[in-house]
Amino acid sequence: MTNQIKIAVIGVGRWGVHLLRNFLANPQVDVVAVVDPHPERLAAVKHQFNLDEDVVLTTQWEDLKKVPGLTGVAIATPATTHYALIKDALQQGYHVLAEKPLTLDPAECRELCQLAEQHHLILMVDHTYLFHPAVEQGKTVVQGGKLGDLRYGYATRTHLGPVRQDVDALWDLAIHDIAIFNAWLGKIPVKVQATGTVWLQGCGEQGLADLVWITLTYPDGFQAYIHLCWLNPDKQRRLGIVGSLGSLIFDEMLQLSPLTLLHGEFEQEGNQFIPVNQRQVVLELEPGEPLGRVCSTFVVSVLSNTPSEVSSGWVGTQLVEILAALTVSLQQGGKPVFLATYPSSVTLREGDC
């Protein structure tokens, strides 16, 4: 088995540049091509990373078919382009790492996963937060019962831009927190609701929502509430789960101590509820850049021909199905939408991509 793969990076905009940086730093990767429709971006990354002259720089996706021995592609292009690019890549025999969301259509996602299986190829989605040390540690805390009986969850993801023109705030932002809640709980929602407001682009159902409020209901009745907005100068990246024995908080803005376990519960004295056992523990995390872990996992998956258990194409499909259901609810003014019954935990079937 070879210990190195040849990769092309498709799209070197705001996020694709970071994918390129991580793959260039990986000793098991030979970056052989970069594709972007903007020649100035190609010139910029060539200078920034001092790329070798033999690295193909092209504005045309079709040029990759002339690159010998290409193993896989990393796709960081607008979501509306994903389906066609990923399908073509799989049909050409390339393993694929795709930026989230996998596509904007659940049926397209399922088709791509099945295509990857048919061709025995890896299809992985860059759900970066699932590889964050805080999220990995948080899963251990929640599923280890340290919070007691789980009561509810909440998340806030706000900032002032960038404002997307291809998808609304729901599709741009929600997938991160939904993925974290699913991972921590080991479950998939069975009912979802969403309401939103449009200010910047269009209006009503025809516009792209700038503000979105989400409710996720899980099989055991647990509910998580998510607040999303991309025109709020108060930047927040905070998610928590509250239990009978305490709360677990992931606050990405606290870079030195992003994961905190807040112990605390009530003792009843007569008709009074007295807080007891209150203390705060900042949890230590393993070092490592989450995106670097994504890239390394993709490389290992390709070399071993073993799908990622954390962020396979099927996991990405489940998240797109949830977003699609939330979109229906959003368009219907917050009407509850029930999803198909899923397993109680996110597990892969044998052969999943």
Side-chain angles (χ1 to χ4, degrees), residues 16-335:
V17 166
H18 296 297
L19 282 168
L20 177 60
R21 170 175 56 82
N22 275 284
F23 279 127
L24 287 170
N26 191 311
Q28 293 182 293
V29 172
D30 180 12
V31 175
V32 295
V34 179
V35 182
D36 194 284
H38 303 91
E40 66 274 14
R41 288 183 180 174
L42 296 174
V45 297
K46 179 178 176 61
H47 174 74
Q48 179 180 352
F49 298 109
N50 192 27
L51 297 179
D52 292 338
E53 292 298 326
D54 58 354
V55 175
V56 175
L57 302 176
T58 177
T59 60
Q60 301 299 318
W61 158 258
E62 291 76 13
D63 288 345
L64 290 185
K65 298 174 184 179
K66 305 173 185 177
V67 177
L70 184 61
T71 311
V73 297
I75 296 175
T77 60
T80 51
T81 68
H82 284 189
Y83 171 71
L85 285 174
I86 295 171
K87 183 175 181 179
D88 194 17
L90 292 172
Q91 289 175 332
Q92 295 299 320
Y94 307 144
H95 301 280
V96 177
L97 171 65
E99 187 182 14
K100 62 80 185 170
L102 181 53
T103 78
L104 300 176
D105 183 334
E108 291 178 349
C109 291
R110 289 189 289 270
E111 178 188 342
L112 293 176
C113 286
Q114 291 164 359
L115 184 61
E117 288 181 347
Q118 293 167 7
H119 290 273
H120 305 289
L121 295 168
I122 297 299
L123 174 57
M124 180 174 160
V125 186
D126 174 17
H127 293 297
T128 311
Y129 280 94
L130 296 182
F131 296 84
H132 196 296
V135 174
E136 294 175 343
Q137 177 79 327
K139 179 179 179 180
T140 300
V141 171
V142 174
Q143 297 190 9
K146 294 184 179 181
L147 300 181
D149 296 328
L150 303 184
R151 290 179 169 159
Y152 75 97
Y154 62 92
T156 298
R157 187 169 294 271
T158 64
H159 54 246
L160 191 63
V163 176
R164 297 280 293 269
Q165 296 179 326
D166 56 336
V167 294
D168 59 14
L170 168 66
W171 280 85
D172 184 34
L173 303 176
I175 199 167
H176 302 301
D177 298 308
I178 297 171
I180 295 171
F181 279 126
N182 289 355
W184 281 10
L185 298 170
K187 300 175 182 178
I188 301 295
V190 294
K191 182 177 71 173
V192 300
Q193 295 171 263
T195 58
T197 303
V198 179
W199 286 293
L200 300 180
Q201 301 177 90
C203 61
E205 295 180 5
Q206 303 304 315
L208 297 178
D210 307 295
L211 168 68
V212 179
W213 302 91
I214 291 173
T215 302
L216 308 174
T217 303
Y218 288 81
D220 57 0
F222 179 92
Q223 289 189 312
Y225 308 92
I226 305 175
H227 166 209
L228 310 165
C229 188
W230 59 24
L231 49 66
N232 187 342
D234 175 24
K235 184 174 182 178
Q236 295 188 60
R237 295 286 187 274
R238 197 170 194 268
L239 180 147
I241 287 184
V242 179
S244 59
L245 300 179
S247 298
L248 181 65
I249 308 297
F250 172 34
D251 190 338
E252 191 181 353
M253 304 305 293
L254 303 177
Q255 296 184 5
L256 297 179
S257 55
L259 190 65
T260 303
L261 180 57
L262 301 173
H263 294 276
E265 56 188 303
F266 282 122
E267 282 187 357
Q268 187 171 1
E269 296 181 4
N271 62 351
Q272 300 294 314
F273 295 89
I274 311 301
V276 298
N277 301 327
Q278 292 180 276
R279 60 190 177 91
Q280 174 176 310
V281 179
V282 175
L283 301 179
E284 295 186 5
L285 305 177
E286 294 183 0
E289 180 188 358
L291 185 58
R293 294 183 175 201
V294 171
C295 295
S296 295
T297 299
F298 178 65
V299 173
V300 171
S301 293
V302 170
L303 290 173
S304 63
N305 197 27
T306 303
S308 165
E309 295 184 358
V310 177
S311 194
S312 70
W314 287 110
V315 172
T317 298
Q318 288 177 329
L319 289 166
V320 171
E321 288 173 336
I322 295 168
L323 289 174
L326 283 164
T327 297
V328 173
S329 178
L330 185 65
Q331 293 172 344
Q332 297 180 352
K335 181 179 178 180

